[in-house]
Amino acid sequence: MTLRIAVAGKGGVGKTTCSALLLRALAISGVRPLLAVDADPNANLHQLLSLPLPEGLGSLREEQREAAGGAVPLADRIAFGIERRLSEGKTVDLIAMGRGEGPGCYCYVNNLLREALDRIEGGYRAVVVDNEAGMEHLSRRSVRRIDHLVLVGDPTRRGMDAVAALRDLAVELALPAGKTWLLLNHPYGVPGGTPSEALGLPLLAALPHDPRLPSWENEGRSFLDLPPGESPAADAVAEALRTRLLGHAT
């Protein structure tokens, strides 16, 4: 069964960086092949994976909604359109959701899009979804099942308030998430106790400030190629995934 991990958080907390590090952690744990889904209209996950930016699925949705008839069934056209928009890599393939919906009803096309994504995801060992700020993509149920929902936040009062709001929204939306985690980025201590305890969420990892990551990004190198021991933050994510999300330790 495909492992599905969704990453969410407010803007600027490092969701995309954490998504790339989770993909690296999966790869070095032998979980392959992998599918990355960039659900942010301002897509930039491809840069951290050194992959070409694929055309967004938002355009496919609009194209097929406006298309009239034809010999090929709409469901097949959507499935072909998704495959054509796949950016393929050696370890990770990437899909970008693109911009949001335009005017009019997209319910039928969204349902077909969801079904086609289900079929494609079934060919991968794991899927990591990098969401935009908030949970719009998840609320549309583009991903039917989430094994792990990872809420990224910085350990400040505002940061923890944002995580709490997303936690509550996930409950309100009845998201099909198996387990919800807190991932602290750049932790430097919070007066008044441990953030994960205050939020009632298990702590996945606390990532240290790591200047190697922006340096690696500026060099245009894929985060998938970060060797063990090179980045404390990357190694912390790898250890957390191995011992918590995958449920085994060596």
Side-chain angles (χ1 to χ4, degrees):
M1 182 179 294
T2 303
L3 175 69
R4 290 178 170 89
I5 302 172
V7 181
K10 72 180 182 70
V13 295
K15 294 185 302 296
T16 299
T17 294
C18 292
S19 296
L21 293 181
L22 281 166
L23 288 161
R24 169 191 177 270
L26 287 162
I28 64 177
S29 293
V31 182
R32 307 181 183 197
L34 300 168
L35 177 65
V37 178
D38 193 335
D40 194 331
N42 183 28
N44 53 31
L45 179 58
H46 67 286
Q47 296 175 342
L48 301 186
L49 304 177
S50 295
L51 289 172
L53 174 62
E55 185 180 356
L57 298 188
S59 61
L60 169 64
R61 181 174 49 222
E62 295 182 8
E63 288 170 8
Q64 299 307 324
R65 179 176 178 271
E66 295 169 359
V72 180
L74 177 57
D76 292 340
R77 295 205 306 269
I78 287 179
F80 174 74
I82 291 176
E83 293 178 2
R84 185 164 52 86
R85 285 166 167 80
L86 196 68
S87 184
E88 298 181 338
K90 291 186 297 183
T91 305
V92 178
D93 295 341
L94 173 67
I95 282 177
M97 297 305 294
R99 56 192 173 89
E101 300 170 3
C105 178
Y106 285 77
C107 297
Y108 177 56
V109 178
N110 273 340
N111 287 337
L112 292 177
L113 179 58
R114 186 182 303 116
E115 291 169 3
L117 278 172
D118 277 350
R119 291 199 298 271
I120 288 176
E121 288 175 358
Y124 294 89
R125 292 278 309 283
V127 178
V128 175
V129 181
D130 177 23
N131 287 278
E132 61 185 306
M135 290 188 178
E136 180 182 350
H137 171 65
L138 294 177
S139 68
R140 292 201 300 263
R141 299 296 197 276
S142 297
V143 178
R144 293 185 192 271
R145 175 181 55 81
I146 303 165
D147 295 296
H148 298 286
L149 175 60
V150 178
L151 301 181
V152 182
D154 57 75
T156 62
R157 183 177 296 277
R158 283 188 301 161
M160 292 301 97
D161 285 348
V163 170
L166 288 172
R167 175 204 61 197
D168 294 344
L169 180 59
V171 173
E172 179 184 338
L173 295 172
L175 291 181
K179 191 162 187 176
T180 302
W181 300 85
L182 171 65
L183 178 59
L184 285 176
N185 199 14
H186 307 314
Y188 47 81
V190 180
T194 304
S196 59
E197 293 175 354
L199 292 170
L201 294 174
L203 181 65
L204 179 61
L207 307 189
H209 176 65
D210 190 345
R212 189 68 187 99
L213 294 181
S215 174
W216 195 271
E217 178 182 355
N218 290 335
E219 294 168 9
R221 304 169 76 177
S222 171
F223 278 26
L224 300 173
D225 296 332
L226 275 164
E230 183 76 18
S231 161
D235 290 346
V237 171
E239 177 67 10
L241 178 128
R242 182 176 61 86
T243 59
R244 295 179 176 87
L245 301 193
L246 297 183
H248 62 83
T250 58

